[in-house]
Amino acid sequence: MTLRFSRKQLIIPYSLFMVLFVVIPLLFIVYYAFTDGSTGGFTFGNFLKFFSNSTSLSTLIISIGIAILTTVVCLLIAYPIAYILARSNFKKKNVLLMLFVLPMWINFVLRINALREFLDLIGLLNKAHLFNTVLGMVYDFLPFMILPLYTTLIKMDKSLIEASADLGGNAFTTFTKVTLPLSLPGIVSGITMVFMPTMTNYVISDTLGLGHITIIGKLIEDCFGSRNDWYLGSAIALVLLFIIFISMLFTGGFKDEENGARGAGIW
Amino acid sequence: MKKLLSAFLTIALSVMLFVPTFAYAAEDNVLRIYNWEDYIAADDETGENLADEFQTWYNETYNANITVEYSTFGTNEIMYNELKIAPGSYDLVCPSDYMIQKMINENMVEEFSAEFLDASNETSYYSKYVSSYIKNLFGKYEVNGGKSWNNYAAAYMWGTMGYVFNPANVSSSDMKSWGAIWNIMYDNQSTLKDSVRDTFFIGLAFVYRDELNTLAADYQNAVLQYNNGIIDEAQFNAKAKQYNDAISVILNRTDDETLAKVEAALNAAKQNIFGFEVDSGKNDMITGKININLAWSGDAVFAMDQADENGVELYYTVPDEGSNIWFDGWVMPKGANTKLAEAFINYISMPEKACENMDYIGYTSAIAGDAVFDRMVEYYELSTEEGEGLTAVDLGYFFTDLTEGRSAVVYTDTVGRQFSAQYPDKDTVNRCAIMSYFPDDVNEKVNLMWENVKGTQFPVWVIFVIIGAIAIGVAVYFIVKSNKGRRRPKKGYKVISKG
C-alpha cells in the first residue's frame, strides 16, 4: 500500500506548530499588552508607561544603536570573506566555510564565557563595557551574516562579471554595478538575521557588559521576572514587533529593487 | 486551509478568555509539592529525594496509599503567578520571606492545625525541633488578630546576607562596612547582585549608615554592660530586641525621599563596582577578577568550599551597619490537602532529615536540636571545650532546646569561614532585619528606581532628537520610494537620458 498525502494534509503538521507556538503566544502578548494589570480592563496605559519613561526609551535607543553597530561590523567583516570564498577557486573552500560555521555548533553561553575570560586576560573586561558587548554580539552573529552572503554570491552567474569586463567596466565598477546589486538579497537576509536578535540577546550584554549595559531584551525579561509586570513586558515586546515590522518594510523594498535589477536592469 | 486557520484562531481566542478560570482541587491521597530547584536532599545514585522517601515512609507507617507529586520552580514570582492563574494546583509550596508575607496578606494560604502547632504532640516534629529563634522571629509579625507567621508558615532554610571577600587583597576591617562597595580603594573589585531587592537593601544600609552605626554602638554598649554584669540577661534581651526593632524600621523604609537617596547611592556604586551578577560572582572571586562579592550566606559557604579546592581562602562577613535575614518556608495554599502537607513538613523536620538536607543543600536548616548540633560540631571540627587560640561562639540563641545541661557554646579557630556563614553568632543575628514585601505601588516605584540604576538615562531632548531623526529617515525613505515608483516608465519603454 502506498501512502498518499495531499498538499493540504502535508501542511497540517506545520500549521499546528504555527498556531500553537506562534499565533496563540502572539495573541497572548497582544492581550496582555492592552490589559490593565489591576482592573483587567482594556488600556493603552502600558504603552504610555513605556513611552513616558526616559530610561526605557534610552534603553531602546541603546539597543538599536548596539544592533546597528553590530550589523555594520558584521557586514564589513563578512562581505569580503564571503566574496573571497565565493570567488576563489580554492579546492578546500568548503572546509574554510565550515570553519566559519563551526562556532555555531558550540553552545553560545560557553563561547561567550570563554570570550569573557579572554577579555579579562587582555585587561579589557572591566574597562570597555559597550565595546565588549558589541564584540560579543559580532562574535556570536557573524556566521549568520556570512552564510546568506556566501550562498548569494556563489549562485551568482560569473558570466555577468565577464560581460561587465567586456563592456569596459573596471573591477570597481563591476563590483558596484554588478556584484553588489546582485548580492543585495544576501545582505538583506544577513541584516535581518543579525539585527533583531542583537536587540534582545541580553545574555551577551550581561556577561560581557557585566550588568552595566541594559538592552531592551533585558528589560522585557525583568518585566516577566522580578518585576512581575507581564502587561508592561508584553507592551514592550509589541513595540519591538512593530520595529521588526518597519524593518521588514525596508526589506520588502530591497527585494523589489533586486527583482527590478534582475528583470529590467540587466536584460 | 483558511477555514482550518480561522478555526484554530477561534479556539485559541476562546482558550485565552477562559485561562484565568482553571482551578484544581486537592485529592485526599495526593500531595503536590512545589519547591525551589535543588532544594531537597536526593540520593545521587537513585535520584530519589526526601519527598519520594516520605511517600514510602507514610504508606508503610499509616498503611496508606498516597502519591507525592514533586515539582520545582526557579523564582518566587513564577510560583506566585502559577498559584494566581491556577489556584489550588499545589498542596505545599516553599517561597521566600517576602513572598510568604505577601501570600498571607492576600489570604492565599491555609492555617496550620492546632495539632501541628502543639509541640507536645508526638509527631509534631516541626514544632518540637524548630529553633525558638525562628519561632520568635515569626511571632513578631502579627496577622489576622492575635495570629502570627507561625500559624501559616514553617521555616525551611534561613541565613544572612554579607560580603564574601579575599583577605589577601582587601583589608578585613574595611569589610565591616557596606561602604566597601563605594570605597574608591576597591574600584572595579566588587560585585552587587543583579536583583532589585538584594541590592536595594544594601543601598538602604549605606544611605542610613550613620543612624545604623549609632544604634549599633548603643547595642555594643549593652553587650559590654551585660558582660560586666551591670545589666542582667532580661535587660540585655530587651535592649537587643529594641535595637533589632529600630534597625528593622530603618531597613524597611521605602518613602520617596529614601528611594531617591538609594538611587543616587546605587548610581554612585555602579561607577565603582566591577559589575552586577547573578551567579558568576563565585567564580570571579576564585579567578581573582573581584575581591568583594555581595552574597547570601548559603552561597557564601558554597563559594568558600569551591575556593578552598582552588587554593584560595575566602571569608564571609556581615557588615556592622546591619543586614538582611532571609528564610524560605513552607506554606499551604488555599484548598490544599493540609493533612498530608503537615505530615510532610513534620517528616523533613525530624533532625536527622534536616541534617540530610543541610548536607545536600549547604544552607542552614531552621531545625535545631541535639542531632543538628552534633552534626555541626562534627562537620566543622568544632571543640566544645576552651582551648588555646580558639574563639568562643555562643549559639545559645539558636540551639535553645539542647538536652538539659548541654552548652551551645562552641570553640573554633575558623571564625569568618564556612562555619560563621552557616551559623552566625548572636551579635550578628541581632543586627539582621527581615525585609518586608513591598505593596504594589511601592514595588512599582522601587522597580522604576532599579531600572534607572541599571539602565542609562539620556536627557529628554536627546531622545526626542534621535526618535525624530529616525522617524524622518523612515518617512523620507518611503516618500522617495513611492515617488520613484510613480516615475518608473511603462513596460517595454526605457528612459534613455535624464534632463
Side-chain angles (χ1 to χ4, degrees):
Chain A
M1 198 189 103
T2 47
L3 281 173
R4 276 176 193 280
F5 292 109
S6 72
R7 219 180 260 190
K8 262 184 193 168
Q9 285 166 326
L10 284 172
I11 221 163
I12 287 178
Y14 182 70
S15 21
L16 266 177
F17 179 88
M18 194 181 68
V19 170
L20 269 179
F21 298 114
V22 181
V23 178
I24 296 183
L26 204 59
L27 289 176
F28 269 111
I29 290 179
V30 174
Y31 168 77
Y32 272 109
F34 289 102
T35 302
D36 187 307
S38 46
T39 64
F42 177 87
T43 182
F44 284 110
N46 300 315
F47 292 93
L48 205 67
K49 222 189 300 183
F50 176 74
F51 284 109
S52 62
N53 183 338
S54 61
T55 312
S56 304
L57 287 177
S58 304
T59 303
L60 182 63
I61 290 170
I62 289 173
S63 310
I64 294 176
I66 289 177
I68 291 176
L69 213 59
T70 305
T71 314
V72 168
V73 174
C74 276
L75 194 58
L76 288 181
I77 297 175
Y79 203 97
I81 280 298
Y83 184 79
I84 291 165
L85 271 181
R87 284 280 142 267
S88 76
N89 292 318
F90 182 47
K91 272 184 192 145
K92 298 265 157 40
K93 64 180 167 191
N94 278 335
V95 178
L96 258 180
L97 187 71
M98 194 193 274
L99 278 181
F100 287 105
V101 185
L102 197 67
M104 280 165 69
W105 301 346
I106 298 166
N107 182 295
F108 102 97
V109 178
L110 203 67
R111 277 185 286 132
I112 291 304
N113 273 297
L115 183 60
R116 186 175 188 266
E117 293 301 316
F118 174 74
L119 285 168
D120 180 49
L121 201 70
I122 61 172
L124 264 181
L125 183 59
N126 53 18
K127 294 194 179 65
H129 302 128
L130 193 65
F131 173 83
N132 294 343
T133 305
V134 174
L135 182 69
M137 300 278 190
V138 170
Y139 177 42
D140 196 43
F141 291 111
L142 193 56
F144 293 95
M145 189 62 103
I146 295 181
L147 275 184
L149 281 175
Y150 176 75
T151 34
T152 334
L153 287 169
I154 197 102
K155 274 193 304 193
M156 210 179 95
D157 193 348
K158 283 203 180 84
S159 54
L160 293 176
I161 290 166
E162 287 160 19
S164 165
D166 279 351
L167 295 170
N170 61 17
F172 181 73
T173 328
T174 308
F175 178 75
T176 51
K177 298 277 183 198
V178 182
T179 316
L180 194 60
L182 283 177
S183 63
L184 265 181
I187 296 179
V188 166
S189 75
I191 289 177
T192 23
M193 300 255 272
V194 172
F195 186 79
M196 282 323 292
T198 309
M199 285 184 68
T200 49
N201 197 330
Y202 64 86
V203 175
I204 294 178
S205 62
D206 271 5
T207 315
L208 298 175
L210 304 173
H212 287 277
I213 304 281
T214 302
I215 60 174
I216 199 80
K218 175 78 176 171
L219 202 59
I220 297 177
E221 199 262 346
D222 272 355
C223 285
F224 281 90
S226 61
R227 264 169 100 154
N228 205 13
D229 191 346
W230 293 16
Y231 309 96
L232 179 60
S234 300
I236 304 176
L238 268 195
V239 171
L240 267 193
L241 210 64
F242 179 73
I243 294 175
I244 302 178
F245 181 69
I246 294 279
S247 59
M248 288 287 257
L249 285 182
F250 277 95
T251 318
F254 280 128
K255 267 198 183 131
D256 264 6
E257 273 169 32
E258 183 260 321
N259 287 336
R262 187 177 283 164
I266 291 177
W267 298 112
Chain B
M1 191 58 222
K2 257 186 187 161
K3 256 186 199 165
L4 197 66
L5 199 69
S6 58
F8 272 130
L9 279 178
T10 323
I11 295 168
L13 269 171
S14 40
V15 163
M16 230 169 66
L17 291 173
F18 289 105
V19 154
T21 56
F22 282 134
Y24 300 90
E27 281 176 66
D28 279 351
N29 54 354
V30 179
L31 176 64
R32 295 157 304 167
I33 302 171
Y34 205 27
N35 192 8
W36 292 90
E37 285 154 17
D38 278 327
Y39 217 40
I40 194 162
D43 192 314
D44 284 338
E45 280 165 27
T46 61
E48 240 184 35
N49 64 25
L50 282 182
D52 303 315
E53 232 178 76
F54 168 73
Q55 179 180 312
T56 320
W57 173 85
Y58 192 91
N59 286 338
E60 279 170 11
T61 313
Y62 296 101
N63 199 15
N65 185 25
I66 64 150
T67 319
V68 175
E69 289 168 12
Y70 183 86
S71 39
T72 58
F73 58 83
T75 69
N76 282 305
E77 282 71 23
I78 290 177
M79 185 278 309
Y80 175 82
N81 283 324
E82 217 166 306
L83 279 178
K84 275 276 167 190
I85 292 172
S89 43
Y90 296 100
D91 298 307
L92 194 59
V93 297
C94 186
S96 304
D97 37 33
Y98 74 98
M99 191 51 82
I100 293 178
Q101 195 183 5
K102 185 176 162 88
M103 287 169 73
I104 293 176
N105 281 15
E106 292 179 8
N107 201 19
M108 285 171 72
V109 295
E110 294 277 0
E111 221 179 302
F112 287 128
S113 66
E115 196 191 350
F116 179 85
L117 296 171
D118 181 5
S120 61
N121 190 332
E122 178 59 34
T123 55
S124 294
Y125 298 106
Y126 175 74
S127 294
K128 214 184 281 185
Y129 291 113
V130 66
S131 163
S132 307
Y133 168 67
I134 301 285
K135 240 187 223 171
N136 292 338
L137 199 67
F138 278 25
K140 278 209 285 192
Y141 292 84
E142 208 178 285
V143 273
N144 300 341
K147 285 171 194 155
S148 74
W149 289 2
N150 280 317
N151 295 74
Y152 297 93
Y156 187 44
M157 298 285 163
W158 68 285
T160 57
M161 188 163 68
Y163 283 148
V164 174
F165 64 98
N166 187 345
N169 301 326
V170 298
S171 132
S172 300
S173 60
D174 286 347
M175 298 307 123
K176 290 188 170 166
S177 163
W178 289 118
I181 282 214
W182 282 265
N183 191 335
I184 45 162
M185 264 176 67
Y186 304 124
D187 173 34
N188 255 323
Q189 293 184 39
S190 58
T191 53
L192 282 171
K193 285 265 171 264
D194 191 358
S195 130
V196 50
R197 288 182 60 89
D198 307 336
T199 298
F200 175 68
F201 193 89
I202 308 313
L204 270 177
F206 180 72
V207 165
Y208 294 116
R209 59 191 182 283
D210 290 342
E211 261 178 88
L212 291 168
N213 282 332
T214 313
L215 289 166
D218 268 1
Y219 170 76
Q220 283 307 325
N221 228 348
V223 172
L224 275 180
Q225 286 177 326
Y226 174 64
N227 288 343
N228 293 328
I230 299 169
I231 56 173
D232 63 19
E233 196 174 345
Q235 281 172 307
F236 172 73
N237 284 341
K239 268 269 182 200
K241 186 182 178 302
Q242 195 189 345
Y243 167 58
N244 194 269
D245 289 347
I247 64 161
S248 293
V249 170
I250 296 174
L251 293 171
N252 275 297
R253 283 183 187 158
T254 50
D255 55 280
D256 291 352
E257 197 194 331
T258 300
L259 288 183
K261 279 182 187 164
V262 172
E263 182 177 336
L266 290 181
N267 269 324
K270 192 183 173 189
Q271 305 305 315
N272 201 49
I273 61 171
F274 176 80
F276 298 91
E277 55 93 26
V278 184
D279 53 18
S280 59
K282 290 171 218 148
N283 221 14
D284 288 350
M285 289 293 289
I286 295 169
T287 55
K289 288 188 194 68
I290 53 169
N291 292 311
I292 309 165
N293 177 216
L294 177 66
W296 299 108
S297 51
D299 264 4
V301 173
F302 188 70
M304 284 186 270
D305 284 345
Q306 265 192 330
D308 285 346
E309 282 170 25
N310 288 276
V312 181
E313 200 175 42
L314 301 180
Y315 276 73
Y316 175 78
T317 181
V318 176
D320 287 346
E321 289 98 349
S323 180
N324 177 221
I325 195 151
W326 60 266
F327 58 86
D328 297 316
W330 298 104
V331 294
M332 307 182 292
K334 279 272 179 228
N337 180 343
T338 54
K339 188 174 158 242
L340 286 184
E342 287 179 350
F344 177 76
I345 299 173
N346 279 328
Y347 180 76
I348 55 164
S349 298
M350 293 185 206
E352 57 275 27
K353 299 294 165 201
C355 289
E356 257 181 65
N357 258 338
M358 248 195 290
D359 282 335
Y360 185 86
I361 308 167
Y363 281 55
T364 318
S365 171
I367 301 300
D370 292 281
V372 178
F373 183 79
D374 291 339
R375 178 252 173 206
M376 173 193 78
V377 169
E378 188 197 337
Y379 184 84
Y380 287 116
E381 295 168 359
L382 306 170
S383 168
T384 46
E385 278 155 37
E386 274 180 76
E388 186 146 338
L390 298 183
T391 314
V393 180
D394 184 357
L395 296 176
Y397 76 93
F398 187 77
F399 293 101
T400 39
D401 301 304
L402 293 183
T403 314
E404 196 77 12
R406 290 193 72 179
S407 159
V409 180
V410 290
Y411 301 88
T412 175
D413 57 354
T414 59
V415 170
R417 301 273 289 147
Q418 283 94 331
F419 164 63
S420 301
Q422 196 162 25
Y423 284 101
D425 61 13
K426 192 180 179 133
D427 287 341
T428 306
V429 292
N430 277 343
R431 63 170 183 269
C432 286
I434 286 185
M435 193 185 198
S436 297
Y437 87 104
F438 307 136
D440 286 347
D441 57 327
V442 174
N443 202 28
E444 177 87 27
K445 284 184 201 165
V446 173
N447 281 326
L448 286 177
M449 184 243 15
W450 182 238
E451 192 184 330
N452 289 342
V453 170
K454 283 298 304 293
T456 312
Q457 213 173 351
F458 294 140
V460 178
W461 66 267
V462 173
I463 296 172
F464 271 111
V465 168
I466 293 175
I467 290 181
I470 292 174
I472 291 169
V474 172
V476 165
Y477 172 81
F478 284 113
I479 289 167
V480 168
K481 206 186 115 196
S482 63
N483 282 345
K484 233 182 175 178
R486 225 174 289 147
R487 268 195 269 121
R488 198 173 281 167
K490 278 183 193 165
K491 250 198 176 142
Y493 289 80
K494 245 182 190 175
V495 178
I496 295 180
S497 66
K498 279 174 190 164

